[in-house]
Amino acid sequence: MKITDAKVLITSPGRNFVTLKIYTDEGIYGLGDATLNGRELAVASYLSEHLIPCLIGRDPFQHEDTWQYFYRGAYWRRGPVTMAALGAIDLALWDIKGKALNTPVYNLLGGKSRTGVMVYGHANGKDLEETVDEVGKYIALGYRAVRAQSGIPGIPSTYGVAKGKFHYEPAEKGLPPENIWSTEKYLLHVPKLFEALRLKFGDDVHLLHDSHHRLSPIEAARLGKSLEPYHLFWLEDAVTAELQEGFRIVRQHTTTPLALGEVFNTIWDAQTVISEQLIDYIRMAPLHAGGLTHLKKVASFAEMYHVLTGCHGATDLSPVSMAAALHFDISVNNFGIQEYMLHTKQTDEVFPHSYHFEAGFLHPGDAPGLGVDYDEKLASTFPYERAYLPVNRKLDGTMFDW
Ligand SMILES: [Mg+2]
């Protein structure tokens, strides 16, 4: 089999998505997600201008060699744009191989290691009371695990609090919106939220929280310690991810489990936090970690250090990415949990898929390949519009991490 063509498809059914479609001489095509939130056209251009010309004529079954060709073959390598483009190619090749062999991708990754993939939903509210109510709605829908984010008294807007509740989408069209931040107000508020949640819902439901890379190591240590009575499933992205050594301080002070890595691109980004057992869950997802070929290696490395997986699953990852994550999740031994944010109805219609939710678990379905298709005609009715994630400033105007 030979690759005959590939094209980059861009659509915006509620938010922007970049999709790579690879064609073969046997009539089989594969799909890869190439979406990088707020930088979509950079990946599209990297694919069209630099990678696709080198893909034509290659055997799609040799995805390890193709991965190495684009990774090692590029002197200027790594980084989110490069690795998202490589991830899209890799996912499309796994999709082609599954379709050609008439089997779901999880069978190529080792088969099923479990009956379903436990997911967590995103509950959020403008204040503590509303957030408690929203967590209750997810529990009523059958979720076993819920992430809780709440508005903070004295701060007009913050990360994780939606306008549309079930469809949280922080990216906005136009120029980047500005948020305001106070670490002190946040640190005082979050333990009260989890105290209220445990009082209301008891000990059985798994509760998660995301600090979105906004704390210093000692602040994260304080938060982790103050949350210990409420036994979180994890505290996510406690500290900016560039300084892996910073997690040593957090780890020395708290037993709250830590999750990190949605912004990581390669195994090297996670080397210290995994090998020193500074985290409990690695959040890298197939697309932004250069595809399933590379993520399998990250999972095997993590397995040696008792680190479980917890793939990023925000709405800025298309259903192609979600499907790839589910094939991965159901097959690796050291799976922990999968993030699951609902896409809009229009997105699901552009990307018909075989995965489905049942009683707190997602199932990848048994369609060959990744089990996702792309309705090009419908997609073309949703043209791309430039959009950005917000930026963030402290109360005194200082630029800060969003
Ligand atoms: Mg996060």
Side-chain angles (χ1 to χ4, degrees), residues 308-340:
L308 305 180
T309 69
C311 287
H312 189 213
T315 40
D316 57 8
L317 296 149
S318 87
V320 177
S321 268
M322 177 53 77
L326 294 173
H327 287 278
F328 168 80
D329 296 336
I330 208 155
S331 64
V332 293
N333 178 265
N334 56 327
F335 165 73
I337 199 166
Q338 171 67 48
E339 182 179 22
Y340 179 41

Side-chain angles (χ1 to χ4, degrees), residues 159 210 212 236-237 262 283:
Y159 167 77
D210 188 353
H212 218 246
E236 176 182 337
D237 295 338
E262 66 188 42
R283 299 258 304 131

Side-chain angles (χ1 to χ4, degrees), residues 30-41:
L31 294 175
D33 183 16
T35 309
L36 186 63
N37 201 345
R39 298 293 185 270
E40 291 87 356
L41 299 189

